[in-house]
Amino acid sequence: MSNKKMWRTGLVVLALLLLAGVPWYGSDVLIQFGINALLLAVLAQGWNIIGGYTGYASFGNSVFYGLGGYGVAIAMVQWQLPFGVGLVFGVLLAIVFAVLLGLPVLRLKGHYFAIATLALSQVMTAIVSNVGLAGQNIGLVLPPLNNDRLFYELALGLLVIATLTIFWLTRSRFGFGLIAIRENEEAAAVMGVNTTLYKVLAFTLSGIFSALAGGIHAYWITFLDPESAFDISLNVKMIIMAVFGGPGTVLGPIVGALSLSAVSEFLSSEVTSVAGLFFGVVIVAAVVMMPLGLADMLRRFRKTGWRYFIENIRIHRL
């Protein structure tokens, strides 16, 4: 192993140890912030599979998040089953949804695919609002569990698994197939990649992590209703965080999620009127000045300096 790889590995291990120690040295407020930030990082990593590696900008991951939450809520409230069973049920719902909807929707490309997935959240909200088992418009109240340390550890553990999955993608034939689809889907098909199967599997894998994050969050906040469960703004956040950190990279979405969560939390507490505009400004700046995210910017900035930003601005004709 080269010195550069050893240095990177050491930094990752140190960061993981610092994050793992938050429940022991952090305040209650910091732990609660950490749960939210870690779950957003999981969502960004999940979106990274379908958006960053496969090249399909999905706005439907919030549906998986909601299905995961409702899987836990229905299992625990309506059927009096354990939390773990609810997580499994939510994942199964996400898998079924991903396969049934992925087959027709993933035949679309570009903005057509984005528009189609954008409508999924509204459709699912309307459907769940009329299902008695899901509490209709009123929602479901889960049994409380006042154990933020447990939820923090669950969120961190899920993020580690999601990141290891992304790391595996960078070294597996499946991951290479997804990258080939992102770069040129027609050429990938000619090379023997089963593009339909690969895209559906990526969509499903992305949905599994989103559903698990939704299930953990639902049990943590102990309440779920259709509007909050299938909130499209959550999908926008995960995309912004992944794009800001670096789509198609292993650690980029984590860096984007944690850094943007911290800044957003500061703005919402110190300058409330500006917080709502923050994510809009960030996405415009990120797309224009560093379209490949922080990871690409840090790598190239050392070689090109400020010319990196000037070049990107010139490309976008600003």
Side-chain angles (χ1 to χ4, degrees), residues 76 180 250 259 311 318:
M76 296 187 71
V250 177
S259 58
E311 181 181 330
L318 294 179

Side-chain angles (χ1 to χ4, degrees), residues 174 181 188-189 191-201:
F174 176 60
I181 292 172
M191 293 170 60
V193 176
N194 188 336
T195 56
T196 300
L197 176 62
Y198 274 47
K199 288 187 295 183
V200 171
L201 288 177

Side-chain angles (χ1 to χ4, degrees), residues 167-252:
F167 181 75
W168 167 74
L169 284 180
T170 63
R171 285 158 172 75
S172 68
R173 182 175 180 177
F174 176 60
F176 293 149
L178 296 183
I179 294 172
I181 292 172
R182 181 189 67 193
E183 298 301 323
N184 191 320
E185 188 168 341
E186 288 75 16
V190 171
M191 293 170 60
V193 176
N194 188 336
T195 56
T196 300
L197 176 62
Y198 274 47
K199 288 187 295 183
V200 171
L201 288 177
F203 198 47
T204 303
L205 188 58
S206 177
I208 288 173
F209 287 116
S210 300
L212 288 170
I216 293 172
H217 189 263
Y219 192 22
W220 179 46
I221 63 173
T222 70
F223 176 73
L224 199 65
D225 71 312
E227 290 294 332
S228 61
F230 303 104
D231 186 5
I232 188 62
S233 66
L234 182 64
N235 209 118
V236 175
K237 281 186 178 181
M238 67 179 83
I239 294 175
I240 291 174
M241 289 173 172
V243 170
F244 183 80
T249 62
V250 177
L251 298 177

Side-chain angles (χ1 to χ4, degrees), residues 33 36-45 159 237-238 240-246 251-264 279 294:
F33 165 77
N36 264 320
L38 291 173
L39 290 178
L40 283 172
V42 172
L43 292 174
Q45 284 287 44
L159 178 58
K237 281 186 178 181
M238 67 179 83
I240 291 174
M241 289 173 172
V243 170
F244 183 80
L251 298 177
I254 299 177
V255 175
L258 297 183
S259 58
L260 292 183
S261 294
V263 176
S264 179
F279 279 104
L294 278 174

